[in-house]
């Protein structure tokens, strides 16, 4: 059970990627349950693959009155991300990264970011993303991690609070639907298996 202070978090502002308007985070869950996917970077190949994965649920979420929202920590790479069509929900920017801080999403440093980026999970998903034609770049803040937050309508309850330990840690689609209490007919992408650094599909 999350001990997150939803009221405090909800008072923080994020900027709409479309209108540029600043809105309180609580406005996203005021009238509906919301799945918020916090990206590390818009240019991150893993984030793009994960965005495409979670977007597979968008139709079922909409049918069940659940909004899908993506939040990035900066505008760098936003246009390319939007043009790539990786994500089907609304997109916002947390320019101060205060939401990231309040949610406990850690920041790497120059020493630990390299081993984290070269981990087995990251290599697996990177291989899968490349095989699907999803590329990435190294522009923007390379040290920020992300996660996911699902809040019930009206902010009554936190249904899921996920914090990445490594860049390759993602919430399985079935865990998202389970947290929401809905069923979905989508097929999650199969991650390739890595053995001694060699990835196979």
């Amino acid at each position: 059970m999350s001990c997150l202070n939803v009221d405090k978090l909800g008072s923080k502002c994020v900027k709409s990627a479309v209108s540029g308007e600043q809105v309180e985070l609580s406005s996203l869950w005021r009238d509906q349950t919301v799945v918020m996917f916090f990206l590390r970077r818009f240019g991150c190949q893993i984030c793009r693959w994960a965005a495409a994965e979670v977007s597979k649920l968008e139709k079922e979420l909409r049918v069940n009155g659940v909004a899908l929202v993506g939040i990035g920590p900066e505008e760098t790479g936003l246009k390319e991300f939007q043009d790539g069509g990786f994500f089907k929900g609304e997109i916002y920017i947390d320019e101060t990264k205060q939401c990231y801080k309040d949610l406990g999403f850690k920041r790497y440093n120059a020493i630990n970011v390299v081993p984290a980026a070269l981990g087995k999970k990251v290599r697996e998903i990177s291989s899968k993303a490349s095989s699907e034609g999803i590329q990435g770049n190294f522009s923007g803040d390379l040290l920020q991690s992300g996660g996911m937050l699902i809040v019930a309508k009206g902010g009554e309850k936190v249904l899921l609070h996920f914090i990445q330990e490594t860049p390759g840690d993602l919430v399985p689609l079935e865990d998202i639907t389970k947290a929401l209490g809905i069923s979905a007919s989508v097929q999650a992408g199969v991650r390739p298996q890595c053995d001694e650094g060699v990835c196979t599909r």
Side-chain angles (χ1 to χ4, degrees):
M1 184 61 65
S2 175
C3 58
L4 185 66
N5 186 329
V6 177
D7 291 335
K8 180 183 175 186
L9 178 69
S11 67
K12 302 300 188 299
C13 287
V14 290
K15 183 172 79 171
S16 167
V18 175
S19 68
E21 176 189 7
Q22 292 279 346
V23 301
E24 286 195 350
L25 206 63
S26 61
S27 68
L28 303 180
W29 61 69
R30 183 177 298 133
D31 302 317
Q32 60 194 339
T33 296
V34 62
V35 173
M36 289 172 280
F37 172 45
F38 286 81
L39 296 92
R40 295 181 58 244
R41 291 183 301 116
F42 287 116
C44 169
Q45 183 186 34
I46 309 299
C47 296
R48 290 176 174 186
W49 186 85
E53 277 292 290
V54 74
S55 290
K56 292 177 179 178
L57 293 174
E58 194 273 337
K59 185 177 179 181
E60 276 84 356
L61 296 180
R62 189 162 21 91
V63 167
N64 285 277
V66 178
L68 177 61
V69 167
I71 299 177
E74 59 184 351
E75 285 198 41
T76 303
L78 173 61
K79 186 177 186 308
E80 189 179 340
F81 183 83
Q82 290 173 311
D83 291 346
F86 302 109
F87 191 69
K88 293 185 178 176
E90 291 184 14
I91 300 174
Y92 293 85
I93 314 293
D94 177 14
E95 295 177 304
T96 64
K97 301 181 185 175
Q98 190 59 54
C99 297
Y100 281 74
K101 216 171 288 181
D102 290 352
L103 286 165
F105 298 153
K106 69 180 182 182
R107 285 187 61 78
Y108 296 101
N109 58 45
I111 295 170
N112 63 20
V113 70
V114 175
L118 296 177
K120 180 179 177 182
K121 288 180 183 176
V122 173
R123 295 198 316 271
E124 288 180 353
I125 301 172
S126 179
S127 173
K128 179 65 176 172
S130 294
S131 74
E132 295 179 9
I134 297 175
Q135 301 300 318
N137 59 57
F138 294 100
S139 62
D141 183 353
L142 301 176
L143 304 180
Q144 182 64 55
S145 67
M148 182 172 285
L149 181 69
I150 303 179
V151 180
K153 180 180 177 180
E156 294 175 6
K157 188 178 180 183
V158 174
L159 303 178
L160 185 146
H161 178 197
F162 172 77
I163 300 172
Q164 281 187 323
E165 286 301 316
T166 77
D169 291 334
L170 306 170
V171 182
L173 300 187
E174 59 267 27
D175 288 4
I176 297 173
T177 55
K178 184 177 178 182
L180 292 166
I182 65 174
S183 60
S185 57
V186 299
Q187 179 65 46
V190 179
R191 295 188 194 177
Q193 296 301 308
C194 282
D195 183 27
E196 296 181 3
V198 179
C199 296
T200 56
R201 290 177 66 186

